[in-house]
Amino acid sequence: EVQLVESGGGLVQPGRSLKLSCAASGFTFSNYYMAWVRQAPKKGLEWVATISTSGSRTYYPDSVKGRFTISRDNAKSSLYLQMNSLKSEDTATYYCARHPGIKGHWFAYWGQGTLVTVSS
Amino acid sequence: DIVMTQTPSSQAVSAGEKVTMSCKSSQSLLYSGDQKNYLAWYQQKPGQSPKLLIYLASTRESGVPDRFIGSGSGTDFTLTISSVQAEDLADYYCQQHYSYPDTFGAGTKLELK
């Protein structure tokens, strides 16, 4: 069974940094592109970042480019999101998600999410 | 960026009804290389994470009941629930996975009439 378990969320002041982690199990982690998707309170879904199987390619929307960094450790079956220069609009539940094993980048599996609150 | 527009934003339904919801993209999601439409649908129940229902516009994810039907091509897509059940009350989102940045629609909320 595919499992994705996020951790690292919490309350952080504007301008500070936070690192999220996602522990994956139930599949061969190194074979799949992985991603982060967020959801602000009572709002819709927003894609945040995607990383290739080896970690050599990363993709971001303009809203987080230059502030957020996605990375992975295939030996530990773990995904990370380093978030710097946080803003109030980054307040959201952050989901770790797995892409399919075939061409296409929809989100086949999701974790339960971790809440990040950016506030002074 | 490709803009995804979902209508209606909310819909009140009764159990057993047939429901349709729309998703329109600002650019075609039909990839000429394989003639597939790069559009997915997700269901999110209150307090839960999203769940994949449909990918490539019409392919049902394993384990998804066959009352969920995805259709459409190009820029116009529809999610149909042939006979709504109580457990289908949720938010539904479409997502284009044709090109980065991946973008979602604002969602359609299914409520009880």
Side-chain angles (χ1 to χ4, degrees):
Chain A
E1 178 194 4
V2 172
Q3 283 203 317
L4 301 169
V5 180
E6 303 92 338
S7 61
L11 176 62
V12 61
Q13 293 179 329
R16 304 297 291 264
S17 298
L18 198 65
K19 187 173 185 176
L20 306 182
S21 300
C22 171
S25 61
F27 63 101
T28 304
F29 181 75
S30 58
N31 287 352
Y32 294 88
Y33 277 49
M34 297 294 296
W36 292 94
V37 179
R38 69 184 179 184
Q39 185 170 34
K42 306 293 186 186
K43 299 293 186 183
L45 301 167
E46 180 186 17
W47 167 70
V48 171
T50 288
I51 188 167
S52 64
T53 52
S54 66
S56 61
R57 290 186 298 275
T58 57
Y59 308 85
Y60 306 93
D62 288 345
S63 58
V64 307
K65 195 176 295 182
R67 299 189 301 122
F68 289 12
T69 302
I70 188 172
S71 61
R72 64 191 298 160
D73 184 334
N74 286 341
K76 294 183 178 180
S77 295
S78 292
L79 179 72
Y80 306 101
L81 185 68
Q82 176 68 46
M83 304 185 293
N84 298 331
S85 303
L86 282 161
K87 307 174 182 180
S88 58
E89 52 263 42
D90 295 319
T91 294
T93 295
Y94 285 73
Y95 296 102
C96 168
R98 199 199 84 177
H99 282 302
I102 57 177
K103 182 176 182 289
H105 41 98
W106 59 89
F107 306 103
Y109 293 93
W110 300 65
Q112 86 290 347
T114 187
L115 178 62
V116 173
T117 302
V118 183
S119 174
S120 54
Chain B
D1 297 3
I2 298 176
V3 177
M4 307 299 292
T5 303
Q6 286 187 249
T7 55
S9 56
S10 65
Q11 190 169 5
V13 300
S14 300
E17 269 188 51
K18 177 181 176 181
V19 170
T20 61
M21 60 190 78
S22 171
C23 175
K24 295 183 187 296
S25 57
S26 61
Q27 301 174 36
S28 176
L29 304 184
L30 178 63
Y31 179 52
S32 58
D34 58 14
Q35 290 300 299
K36 293 181 180 179
N37 288 279
Y38 283 70
L39 186 285
W41 288 94
Y42 302 88
Q43 176 193 62
Q44 186 176 33
K45 296 181 180 180
Q48 296 186 16
S49 52
K51 172 190 171 184
L52 176 68
L53 294 176
I54 304 282
Y55 60 93
L56 295 174
S58 61
T59 303
R60 202 177 297 115
E61 174 71 337
S62 176
V64 173
D66 58 9
R67 62 181 181 272
F68 291 93
I69 303 162
S71 62
S73 184
T75 61
D76 291 349
F77 301 90
T78 300
L79 177 67
T80 300
I81 309 175
S82 59
S83 177
V84 167
Q85 305 300 302
E87 63 261 31
D88 300 336
L89 299 180
D91 294 329
Y92 292 84
Y93 296 94
C94 62
Q95 176 230 345
Q96 65 83 15
H97 49 92
Y98 179 87
S99 66
Y100 288 113
D102 292 347
T103 47
F104 292 87
T108 291
K109 185 178 194 67
L110 279 191
E111 301 171 304
L112 199 59
K113 190 178 289 182

